[in-house]
Amino acid sequence: MKEIENVETQSPRHPRESGESLPRHPRESGDPENKSTTLDSRLRGNDESSGNDESSGNDESSGNDESSGNDESSGDDGRGGHDQQINLTHGGGGRAMARLIDSLFLKAFDNEWLSQKNDQACFSVEKGRMVMSTDGHVISPLFFPGGDIGSLSVHGTVNDVAMSGAKPLYLSASFILEEGFSIKDLEKIVKSMANAAKQAGVAIVTGDTKVVEKGKGDGIFITTTGVGVVPENVFISGDLAKPGDAVLVNGFIGDHGIAVMSHREGLTFHTALQSDSASLNGLVQTMVNAVPSIHCLRDPTRGGLATTLNEFASQSHVGFVIDEKKIPIREAVLSACELLGLDPLYVANEGKLIAICPEKEAQKLLSAMQAHELGKDAAIIGTVIEDPNRFVQLKTKFGGSRVVDWLTGEQLPRIC
Amino acid sequence: MKYIEEFRNDTYAKEVADRITQAADPSREYKFMEFCGGHTHAIYRYGIPSLLPSNVQMVHGPGCPVCVLPMARVDHAIALAHQPNVIFCSYGDMLRVPGSRKNSLLKAKAEGADVRMVYSIDDALRLAKENSDKEVIFFSIGFETTTPPSAAAVLQADREGIKNFSIFCNHVLTPPALKAILEIRDEKGDCGVSLNGFVGPAHVSVVIGSNAYLSASLDYKKPIVIAGFEPLDVLHAILMLIQQVNEERYEVENQYTRAVTPEGNQKAQAMMHEVFELASSFEWRGLGWIPSSALCLKEKYADYDASIKFKVEVLTQPENTGCECGAILRGMKRPNECKLFGKVCNPENPIGACMVSSEGACAAFYTYGRHQEK
């Protein structure tokens, strides 16, 4: 199972008709008392009829981690101090699940939409172009220097929404947990998601939890979906690159991939590198405000810079000339790639973006990026050219020239 | 990266490239073969062809251990991986290599075989110690570079009495392959005339030493310049080759003096001789059967030989007849002169050996060099 990137569904050519103000309120008829409805209200994981909830009492007794199963108000049921584990009842739609949702998800994500405990979140939106994107997150190890699957699942989708120039507003989160997964770890992950969402200024407003039998999952998979609204006069899409445009990146590439690899089982090397995992919506706002005529934006995640440029080349029917000397890459990333036989241009990022804009706006965009914390190491790295072959060419540091092709399968280390 | 970036410096590169242009006689053609896949990779990755004058041409040799391994050996490896209770360990770039019927180790893994990618044979030995109830097989492949570590691992397993460890041995030798290429005759029956010289192996030469090429150079009157894998090394070696050709010399010269000595690493050689002996003949993809060109485990260490320990049936299909890998590995054709190149044969769906590994001539040309296709 792999992450699916860059599947924004957007219609960039249709500006929304009206104003800027963004939905910030629950549905108008919202009943504040909803917050105190009984625990039987459900954000149900399964599609079974609600009747199942009632019969689930005996499920709980079978779960060995339901130590305080009869005291719903204690709030820590289904988790707690010991190294308790997820079992099938946590996805069964019954009380165990309701308690898990209440005591963990509702608490951590804490927002008015989720607290209503409906199977959906209802919010009003201004007229305009909405953006929606979804991303499944699977990663090994789950915790890595600079982040974890929780923060990653927020950053990934927030970024995919933001790369249309949109302001991301709401997220949904769907969890697939494997039986036996540590509740402590789940708690850490959920808290990390909550933090990441808070920092990005988005709310996780609806969700779903499923538990699969042991051996049928890899601990935890998180799928998040995000929606946002694109400001008027912003039309950003991967098919809008024009010959002559400038190509920019917001900082050092490859940190995430190498940081994760260094902690992967079977690879033993140590590095002080941290993942660059971050929500880029703030930076995108700054960029869009400075240069509304940005043509393309994308976060080069799996497959790295090389893959994103090839995607742009094929979508926009253009070629690229990139100057290797100008690509910001840390010494530690270069060294690790040297040792492992990898090419940093294909290594994953989680807090980077590639921007393409008209050449005459490039300096202005660069200055705006460099003024932002997440863009202080930004650089102009190349140019869009006319090329019916849609090659991404690299002017190598050595002074030569070569193609940077699509990746074939995974990058595998070479023998010698 | 200290001591690496220096060898990728564009100012020096420009200087050497200018000297190459000055040295190359415009009235003649220079055709050099870089034997090693590592050089092929460096040449394309750093864009060296774009720095050379048009009458200096590089031909890509057979020095990619992944590429020269015949399909039957890949099929054999896959059959071993499918044995019950076996953990099959391999270097990363062998995993995708297609055997018969488009099978591969990656496919075997998907079908349930326990195939693991390791960075070194030491990892395989460690797995054997940790999983004493399983049989761990290491897919030993490569030229003289990867052979000493294989020998060391077998010796260590023997010393420590590790019984559940074995290797599937496919170690091949450089000098016999070099001679096999020089033995290829043209229509008039002359040997190796199309090539003016060789860029000699880097890591292999660290082990076997520069003296190992003396007879090839003398017997066939060809200059050989041993070069490191950094792009500046390659450019420098090309300049040295042009100078030898201009002066009508045919010597073994060592550009890679920071690592290669005339005698090589004698401790490593002794270990190899302790564990391995010459196999009477070995099939090379593209070059056919070459006598005394590969190693097998000595009888003393037969317990560590997976091909003896596990009797498996290997069914192999013949190679695709349209594929020009043979001619390309022999330096007689360029990748884009094969009619399959880039059409039915590409890195996604490799038909021939040269497209399989990123070091293969076709894969390197496809991945890095297509924009200069003429």
Side-chain angles (χ1 to χ4, degrees), chain A residues 261 265-269 310 324-325 331-346 387 389 391-416, chain B residues 1-2 4-5 7-10 13 37-38 41 44-48 50-51 65-66 91-96 106 117 119 123 126 141-142 145-146 203 229-232 235 347-348 358-359 366-372:
Chain A
M261 260 183 255
E265 205 189 343
L267 279 181
T268 42
F269 68 99
N310 273 290
E324 190 178 16
K325 263 192 175 164
E331 180 99 4
V333 170
L334 285 173
S335 306
C337 285
E338 192 66 33
L339 276 172
L340 299 172
L342 305 175
D343 184 339
L345 300 184
Y346 295 92
D387 180 1
N389 291 315
F391 286 137
V392 177
Q393 292 184 43
L394 187 75
K395 262 167 61 192
T396 69
K397 274 191 214 167
F398 193 62
S401 132
R402 66 147 155 124
V403 170
V404 179
D405 202 9
W406 292 90
L407 197 59
T408 304
E410 301 260 338
Q411 262 205 109
L412 295 174
R414 296 185 298 121
I415 289 175
C416 53
Chain B
M1 285 184 296
K2 227 172 162 28
I4 292 184
E5 286 302 319
F7 293 95
R8 298 173 186 175
N9 179 304
D10 60 336
H41 193 83
Y44 280 116
R45 177 158 181 191
Y46 296 96
I48 288 176
S50 63
L51 298 172
V66 175
Y91 292 126
D93 47 0
M94 273 316 297
L95 298 180
R96 243 194 329 251
L106 271 186
M117 183 186 89
Y119 271 86
D123 294 339
R126 183 180 47 78
I141 81 157
T145 322
T146 51
H203 296 169
F229 277 146
E230 293 304 323
L232 207 53
L235 270 189
E348 211 79 47
S358 63
E359 284 169 35
Y366 185 93
T367 309
Y368 296 136
R370 268 178 303 154
H371 65 308
Q372 282 151 354

